[in-house]
Amino acid sequence: MEIIRAKTAGFCMGVSLALQKLDKAIADARGRRICTLGPIIHNPQVLADYEALGVHCVDSPDGLHAGDLVVIRAHGITRDVEEALRACGAEVLDATCPRVKKAQLSIRNATAQGATLLLFGEADHPEVRGLLSYACGPAHVFGNREELAALAPDPAGVYVLASQTTQDRGEFEHLEAALRERLPQLVVLSTICDATRERQQEALAIAHTVDAMVVVGGRQSGNTRRLASLSAQCGKETFHIEQAGELRAEDFAGRRRVGLTAGASTPRKLIDATEAWLKALA
Ligand code: SF4
């Protein structure tokens, strides 16, 4: 059995940097309590490893004490929450992904004179809540063309169009073109990160050439779930697992080629272990 492993499988730049910062915080702890505000990434095996190292996951700044060292997650937080973090006496280590931070600051600067923000994204996603909090004027979030049309922007108004970093670039460009025709004073910010799209494109390209796909990553990880559903949508039997131990040899009997990919929050050791498990069947 041939195993085709995606080159893009595993950590994106923002996740790698956030975990490096958490590792450094642990190394520099000097007796302080190390905390993250919410799970640092959506991978239960990684979270269990950090918990075993003494890292505490708190839900809000209320769970922190003066002297704690708290790490801000890769997809960022709202300005209010960051102020509360800094006010509670904890030392704050900002592990917001540089691309998310750039998007936050671009929104702040572009709306500084009161322009209205139109943000393409998922309203209930923490990154989107963070981005909205950086708008200095009115802000609206929309998830599709219908929701944008319902906002009925005023052609005489000044607007800033931006996107959640993980949205689809093609759809964003379509929305931009439609808005430019109606809004002469539109400012467009380039805030999309291609890490998600590259993973999806490679997973699809592999899925088309194999008998079955294995997708490794947390069940709570949205980008991992999207990889698995894209693979299943192209008609390939898809196994979404968190660890190799969940696979069953009988599911691979008679397969000639199997694809392997993983979400942006899946550590290499779990992907390597899955590849080794599949190779042992070959
Ligand atoms: Fe940063 Fe892109 Fe990874 Fe999001 S997907 S954390 S924006 S590198």
Side-chain angles (χ1 to χ4, degrees):
M1 186 170 75
E2 191 182 358
I3 318 296
I4 315 296
R5 174 169 169 164
K7 292 186 178 61
T8 53
F11 288 170
C12 64
M13 175 271 290
V15 167
S16 291
L17 282 178
L19 295 185
Q20 280 169 25
K21 287 190 178 176
L22 181 54
D23 290 341
K24 186 166 184 320
I26 294 166
D28 296 345
R30 295 190 301 276
R32 287 173 299 175
R33 204 169 69 125
I34 306 297
C35 302
T36 61
L37 192 61
I40 184 95
I41 60 173
H42 285 142
N43 185 277
Q45 289 72 35
V46 171
L47 296 180
D49 288 348
Y50 280 117
E51 196 180 343
L53 291 171
V55 174
H56 297 261
C57 177
V58 299
D59 293 332
S60 81
D62 296 341
L64 294 166
H65 313 300
D68 287 346
L69 203 164
V70 59
V71 179
I72 297 177
R73 296 180 291 170
H75 54 232
I77 56 177
T78 67
R79 292 170 98 172
D80 286 354
V81 171
E82 184 164 350
E83 273 172 30
L85 277 189
R86 296 192 188 276
C88 76
E91 184 181 336
V92 179
L93 191 60
D94 190 355
T96 306
C97 170
R99 289 196 174 123
V100 175
K101 182 50 77 181
K102 187 170 170 225
Q104 292 174 340
L105 298 180
S106 300
I107 286 170
R108 185 192 67 189
N109 294 340
T111 59
Q113 304 305 318
T116 300
L117 174 68
L118 300 173
L119 183 66
F120 177 38
E122 303 156 277
D124 58 351
H125 192 286
E127 181 201 317
V128 168
R129 288 200 290 270
L131 293 175
L132 287 172
S133 76
Y134 277 78
C136 301
H140 305 282
V141 59
F142 63 96
N144 52 46
R145 299 174 195 191
E146 292 73 30
E147 287 176 18
L148 176 59
L151 292 174
D154 175 3
V158 182
Y159 290 89
V160 172
L161 173 66
S163 173
Q164 183 180 359
T165 57
T166 48
Q167 287 294 326
D168 180 73
R169 187 181 289 277
E171 181 60 15
F172 182 77
E173 287 170 356
H174 176 91
L175 294 162
E176 176 187 345
L179 278 175
R180 279 197 187 282
E181 285 180 7
R182 290 165 48 200
L183 303 174
Q185 302 187 74
L186 181 69
V187 174
V188 179
L189 304 179
S190 172
T191 53
I192 290 180
C193 163
D194 285 326
T196 304
R197 188 177 61 137
E198 286 161 6
R199 277 162 181 69
Q200 292 178 354
Q201 284 179 340
E202 192 185 18
L204 269 177
I206 292 174
H208 282 296
T209 69
V210 296
D211 304 322
M213 283 290 285
V214 176
V215 181
V216 191
R219 296 195 212 296
Q220 301 305 316
S221 160
N223 77 84
T224 307
R225 286 203 307 257
R226 275 196 290 278
L227 287 177
S229 73
L230 279 173
S231 159
Q233 277 164 24
C234 73
K236 293 299 154 74
E237 189 160 9
T238 301
F239 302 94
H240 176 179
I241 57 162
E242 290 186 348
Q243 306 190 69
E246 297 165 40
L247 292 171
R248 301 182 314 167
E250 56 266 38
D251 288 326
F252 297 89
R255 312 261 192 208
R256 287 179 298 111
R257 277 165 71 88
V258 172
L260 172 62
T261 189
S265 52
T266 309
R268 177 182 285 270
K269 68 178 181 181
L270 295 180
I271 311 169
D272 288 346
T274 305
E275 185 174 18
W277 189 95
L278 290 166
K279 280 187 170 159
L281 290 180

